[in-house]
Amino acid sequence: MNYGNKEEIKKRVDELTQILNEANYNYYVLDNPTITDQEYDKYYRELLDIEKLYPEFSYDDSPTKRVGGEVVDKFNKVVHDKPMLSLANVFNEDEIRDFDAKIKKEGFNPEYVCEYKIDGLSVSLLYKEGKLVKGVTRGDGVTGEDITHNVKTIKVIPLKLKKPIDIEVRGEIFMNKKTLEKINIEREKEGLPLLQNVRNAAAGSIRQLDSKVTAKRELDNFIYYLPEPEKYNIKTHMDALNFMESLGFKVNPANKIVKDIDGIIKFIEGITEKRDKLPYEIDGVVIKVNDIFMQEELGYTAKYPKWATAYKFPALEVLTKLKDIIFTVGRTGRITPNAVLEPVIVMGSTIRRATLHNEDYVISKNLMIGDIVSIRKAGDVIPEVVEAKVMRRTGKEIPFKMINECPMCHEPIKKIEGQVDYYCVNPNCPKRNIESIIHFVSRDALNIEGLGDEIVEELYNLGFIKNIIDLFNLEDKKEQIMQFDGYGEKSLNKIIENIKKAKNISLERLLYGLGIKEIGTKTAKLLASTYKNMDALMNATIEDLESIKDIGSITADSIVKYFKVNKKLIEDLKNIGMNMDYLGKVKGTNENITNKRFVITGTISDMGRKEIKDILESFGGKVSETVSKNTDIVIVGNNPGSKYQDAMDLNITIWNEEKLHSILNDLQ
Ligand code: IVH
């Protein structure tokens, strides 16, 4: 076909894009097709032909890109501008009333929006001038993974909005029940393992390097959250939903404003009959305060908004056999009995194990090995053994007996007075050591990517890491490790690099990673922000610690005891260059700043050096005086000193004033 000049070609491309986008929207979002399949194919092929002939008009947001094709070699990390929080759970009417009562106690009497809790995975979508530029998974809430190439294959997610605005929206990517069935029929034919449930299927489909695979999975999406409503002068959550719908997003028509708590209960009761008939799985109802001013006043905890909660449908119970009770050892030496179950599928996932917590718990449930037991599972909550079906006993069941030695090192185990748990107190118990190292590198501690539990266990058993200090000497052992199966140079280098980088983490992560009894992430943060550095904390007495709000005597005691015994370990960590300071009150994270090392040279107009330093540090950046090969960025102002030349010599990224201002302007 001949379109004449370039202008005409562009015009036709735009026209076809518009027609196809509109058709897609009507078909997938509104479920109301406006053109026939043949017509669609005709336009689609025409656009494809032009794009092949004139690749300069083949745009990233073309509807032809929906079939996938883009392949990435890894998922890049993206720091969310605003953390992606999760929701607190409630399980019954009383707990819903408690949620409402807490809000009333703050002096509000809100109306709520009730929404289905879709069983999928959350996604953040970023648009610039109305064009989809990024899709990111939730990840740990602070940092997610770039899945843009796959998001583009989801037909209900607009590539172009109805208004050319900059916006971030969040919602759930999910797989419809029928799609899962269809895929599993195919997989069965091909002898592939079946996808277990809609959630795993959706998560697995979106974490594909090759977007063609994702495209075939026919994922769906609902948008349910606008992180920055104030930017669009939006005052209620329902207005935000309507606004997002008007931009072209698929918003669940079941979302409903209710006036009060009774409205919530009615909404939940109303679902029971509808639930099975829905084309997608839901595992509960999300309840959100409608008024955005009230939302902000109510605020957030580290993990959840206080203005929303998730009511989870009652758990499902199934029967299975308790085949055995085995004991595991944790990093603190705590011994935990675990139920080994005849595998059963509950809500789409196979359950083989359930914790039995401690001796008293097993005794209180009167469990015997060989019993038929009921298992309960509520959504993503850990499965639980509810009770033994005593009537079904045959007489062959074996009574439970607590062990008296550590299952790993066989040293005697001890119970602390007044507590229910037994502990292995052997400091050289291999399992305890392995678990401590696993904890040290875990997500909320040093967060060493690539160093999973199994690798730690193997490297421990092979003798390469016997304690946390050995982690920092892995480089010297690289050649030896590579002789073992499964350890490639590339992946080892990555692990070593990640460990090196982790030396700069803030004190609270290190404290948490040390695995001090009673110190979870929250207490670690409290201690780090109070004492600012390790030495000050180590010098604190029990009385000092107890004087801090939220630190009780057990915690204070545990901290002091820990440092009494572990002085040398802390000294060794200092010697390998581990940061021992609290890195300031971190306001947030930013991919250009967090964990980066800066040097400033020259004068920056309008801003003092201290001011710049404070801002960078408050977003987790480190500012030092001298340029070295470890420096990531040198900020160069007017009349720079020799540091500018050093930066050039070492080929270090340079930010001029303009770049600095543009990055700082984007911070919240
Ligand atoms: S709102 C700050 N609304 O449930 C608001 N979440 O258990 C955060 N989810 O991570 C989320 N349906 O993946 C919201 N209608 C809905 C939802 C929903 C499903 C998921 C979401 C979230 C998880 C929390």
Side-chain angles (χ1 to χ4, degrees):
M1 212 175 288
N2 194 351
Y3 295 97
N5 63 29
K6 298 247 154 164
E7 216 167 278
E8 275 171 43
I9 300 169
K10 174 148 188 355
K11 198 167 143 236
R12 185 61 181 156
V13 166
D14 287 348
E15 237 167 51
L16 289 166
T17 303
Q18 167 104 18
I19 297 171
L20 291 168
N21 277 346
E22 188 94 22
N24 250 328
Y25 176 74
N26 291 331
Y27 185 90
Y28 288 104
V29 180
L30 300 183
D31 201 8
N32 179 21
T34 44
I35 61 174
T36 63
D37 286 0
Q38 287 81 352
E39 280 172 309
Y40 186 90
D41 284 349
K42 195 181 83 194
Y43 293 126
Y44 188 90
R45 250 178 287 125
E46 186 183 344
L47 181 57
L48 210 56
D49 287 345
I50 303 178
E51 287 176 345
K52 259 194 209 135
L53 223 52
Y54 307 101
E56 68 266 42
F57 295 116
S58 173
Y59 301 114
D60 272 359
D61 58 349
S62 163
T64 61
K65 301 287 172 355
R66 298 268 197 200
V67 289
E70 200 179 331
V71 182
V72 297
D73 58 358
K74 66 175 183 3
F75 297 102
N76 285 322
K77 296 266 175 267
V78 180
V79 178
H80 297 294
D81 278 347
K82 258 187 162 182
M84 279 182 86
L85 300 179
S86 182
L87 293 168
N89 294 322
V90 291
F91 291 96
N92 53 46
E93 188 175 331
D94 279 353
E95 290 178 2
I96 301 175
R97 288 190 186 278
D98 286 349
F99 164 73
D100 179 58
K102 263 194 206 138
I103 291 175
K104 293 230 168 74
K105 223 172 124 201
E106 299 292 320
F108 298 114
N109 188 15
E111 55 178 28
Y112 294 101
V113 177
C114 289
E115 300 174 9
Y116 292 164
K117 187 166 186 302
I118 316 290
D119 208 3
L121 67 142
S122 45
V123 67
S124 151
L125 303 174
L126 268 157
Y127 290 78
K128 286 249 171 338
E129 291 170 14
K131 289 195 177 150
L132 174 68
V133 291
K134 214 167 250 179
V136 188
T137 62
R138 176 168 179 272
D140 62 4
V142 175
T143 312
E145 288 179 330
D146 189 333
I147 49 161
T148 317
H149 64 302
N150 291 334
V151 162
K152 281 187 190 160
T153 68
I154 302 175
K155 303 273 199 338
V156 299
I157 294 183
L159 299 174
K160 194 171 165 204
L161 303 179
K162 299 195 172 172
K163 282 186 203 146
I165 55 169
D166 291 357
I167 194 167
E168 182 194 353
V169 298
R170 293 178 184 174
E172 200 84 349
I173 290 177
F174 60 94
M175 186 180 278
N176 285 300
K177 297 181 206 166
K178 279 242 160 65
T179 313
L180 180 70
E181 265 174 42
K182 205 170 78 182
I183 291 176
N184 273 343
I185 291 173
E186 283 305 309
R187 289 179 74 89
E188 194 155 25
K189 275 191 211 149
E190 288 167 35
L192 294 167
L194 301 190
L195 304 178
Q196 289 238 328
N197 54 43
V198 282
R199 168 168 345 178
N200 292 354
S205 304
I206 210 72
R207 274 195 108 267
Q208 294 287 337
L209 295 171
D210 181 352
S211 60
K212 274 221 170 78
V213 180
T214 312
K216 286 200 196 107
R217 299 288 175 86
E218 295 175 17
L219 295 171
D220 208 333
N221 170 253
F222 277 126
I223 293 297
Y224 49 60
Y225 183 58
L226 177 65
E228 294 176 312
E230 65 286 350
K231 270 198 186 165
Y232 315 93
N233 201 18
I234 281 172
K235 303 277 193 286
T236 69
H237 177 61
M238 194 43 109
D239 285 350
L241 293 172
N242 291 333
F243 173 59
M244 295 188 288
E245 189 172 24
S246 76
L247 293 173
F249 293 106
K250 184 168 162 185
V251 173
N252 199 331
N255 299 339
K256 188 168 184 255
I257 295 184
V258 297
K259 287 273 159 267
D260 52 22
I261 180 86
D262 292 331
I264 299 176
I265 308 292
K266 240 197 194 147
F267 184 88
I268 292 172
E269 283 169 358
I271 292 178
T272 328
E273 319 109 59
K274 289 185 217 142
R275 185 176 171 192
D276 283 348
K277 298 194 189 92
L278 289 172
Y280 46 84
E281 292 277 5
I282 61 173
D283 59 345
V285 169
V286 180
I287 305 155
K288 301 174 180 171
V289 168
N290 193 22
D291 187 299
I292 284 166
F293 171 76
M294 279 187 210
Q295 288 186 357
E296 289 312 309
E297 289 291 301
L298 289 161
Y300 304 81
T301 71
K303 287 192 182 149
Y304 317 118
K306 292 187 189 165
W307 47 263
T309 196
Y311 163 77
K312 290 277 187 85
F313 292 136
L316 278 184
E317 277 190 34
V318 294
L319 296 184
T320 189
K321 189 170 181 176
L322 175 61
K323 291 204 300 189
D324 200 357
I325 295 178
I326 59 165
F327 297 87
T328 49
V329 193
R331 75 189 146 82
T332 57
R334 186 165 76 198
I335 310 283
T336 310
N338 297 274
V340 179
L341 304 161
E342 191 81 57
V344 267
I345 297 178
V346 190
M347 299 178 76
S349 45
T350 308
I351 296 170
R352 298 185 167 83
R353 288 267 191 114
T355 176
L356 295 173
H357 305 287
N358 52 56
E359 180 187 22
D360 290 5
Y361 184 88
V362 186
I363 292 171
S364 73
K365 294 212 177 253
N366 178 22
L367 297 179
M368 291 173 103
I369 295 164
D371 268 341
I372 299 295
V373 290
S374 60
I375 306 297
R376 176 161 58 197
K377 186 168 183 331
D380 49 7
V381 179
I382 303 166
E384 168 194 6
V385 175
V386 184
E387 61 178 10
K389 297 290 167 194
V390 181
M391 300 292 285
R392 295 187 56 175
R393 284 195 176 146
T394 60
K396 290 195 184 133
E397 292 74 19
I398 305 162
F400 165 74
K401 197 166 169 287
M402 189 63 199
I403 48 172
N404 49 28
E405 62 177 45
C406 170
M408 299 309 295
C409 68
H410 304 290
E411 291 290 312
I413 59 176
K414 291 205 176 102
K415 199 172 190 174
I416 300 174
E417 273 249 342
Q419 291 192 22
V420 286
D421 293 311
Y422 281 88
Y423 286 88
C424 167
V425 287
N426 171 13
N428 300 318
C429 171
K431 187 68 182 167
R432 281 186 64 182
N433 291 336
I434 291 169
E435 292 294 331
S436 311
I437 301 168
I438 289 175
H439 179 74
F440 190 67
V441 301
S442 67
R443 193 151 85 173
D444 290 332
L446 267 70
N447 191 17
I448 309 293
E449 231 182 284
L451 197 53
D453 299 5
E454 275 130 44
I455 302 186
V456 171
E457 183 151 1
E458 189 163 69
L459 290 177
Y460 184 95
N461 289 332
L462 291 171
F464 292 116
I465 31 175
K466 284 284 171 210
N467 53 48
I468 57 179
I469 298 295
D470 287 347
L471 285 168
F472 299 93
N473 300 323
L474 272 186
E475 192 155 17
D476 305 339
K477 302 172 191 162
K478 199 172 94 181
E479 300 297 326
Q480 290 174 33
I481 300 175
M482 273 161 53
Q483 321 237 318
F484 290 88
D485 269 0
Y487 293 94
E489 180 157 23
K490 219 169 144 194
S491 56
L492 269 178
N493 280 346
K494 194 98 210 131
I495 294 174
I496 292 166
E497 183 62 22
N498 289 341
I499 294 173
K500 254 190 217 159
K501 273 198 209 142
K503 287 185 189 174
N504 302 323
I505 55 158
S506 186
L507 177 62
E508 65 276 18
R509 281 177 168 266
L510 172 61
L511 280 178
Y512 172 72
L514 291 174
I516 307 168
K517 255 191 218 167
E518 311 294 331
I519 310 293
T521 49
K522 214 169 159 191
T523 312
K525 196 153 203 180
L526 180 63
L527 292 169
S529 62
T530 309
Y531 286 96
K532 303 282 190 279
N533 63 60
M534 187 67 95
D535 286 341
L537 174 64
M538 286 174 82
N539 287 330
T541 61
I542 292 194
E543 294 73 40
D544 295 337
L545 289 160
E546 276 185 61
S547 70
I548 303 174
K549 187 174 169 285
D550 292 339
I551 304 257
S553 61
I554 296 179
T555 307
D557 190 53
S558 161
I559 295 167
V560 170
K561 268 198 190 129
Y562 178 87
F563 287 121
K564 227 184 227 161
V565 183
N566 289 290
K567 276 208 177 75
K568 168 142 189 335
L569 173 66
I570 305 294
E571 213 38 57
D572 289 347
L573 283 167
K574 270 186 199 166
N575 290 336
I576 53 115
M578 193 79 204
N579 170 56
M580 296 281 155
D581 295 330
Y582 175 53
L583 297 181
K585 188 170 163 13
V586 176
K587 280 198 196 133
T589 50
N590 176 285
E591 63 183 321
N592 296 305
I593 301 178
T594 310
N595 292 333
K596 298 265 179 354
R597 290 166 181 257
F598 292 86
V599 172
I600 308 170
T601 177
T603 46
I604 306 281
S605 46
D606 314 334
M607 284 182 99
R609 210 176 267 206
K610 168 91 174 66
E611 191 187 349
I612 301 172
K613 185 170 184 263
D614 285 350
I615 299 177
L616 295 174
E617 285 177 349
S618 70
F619 280 83
K622 265 208 140 182
V623 180
S624 48
E625 286 303 319
T626 46
V627 177
S628 76
K629 64 178 189 337
N630 292 328
T631 309
D632 294 299
I633 293 147
V634 175
I635 297 171
V636 179
N638 263 334
N639 299 322
S642 60
K643 292 174 194 171
Y644 181 32
Q645 191 56 49
D646 295 344
M648 304 270 272
D649 293 345
L650 290 167
N651 208 5
I652 291 168
T653 306
I654 290 175
W655 288 0
N656 59 16
E657 228 183 282
E658 204 185 342
K659 173 83 180 166
L660 174 70
H661 280 303
S662 88
I663 300 263
L664 299 189
N665 283 341
D666 279 348
L667 299 175
Q668 318 243 334

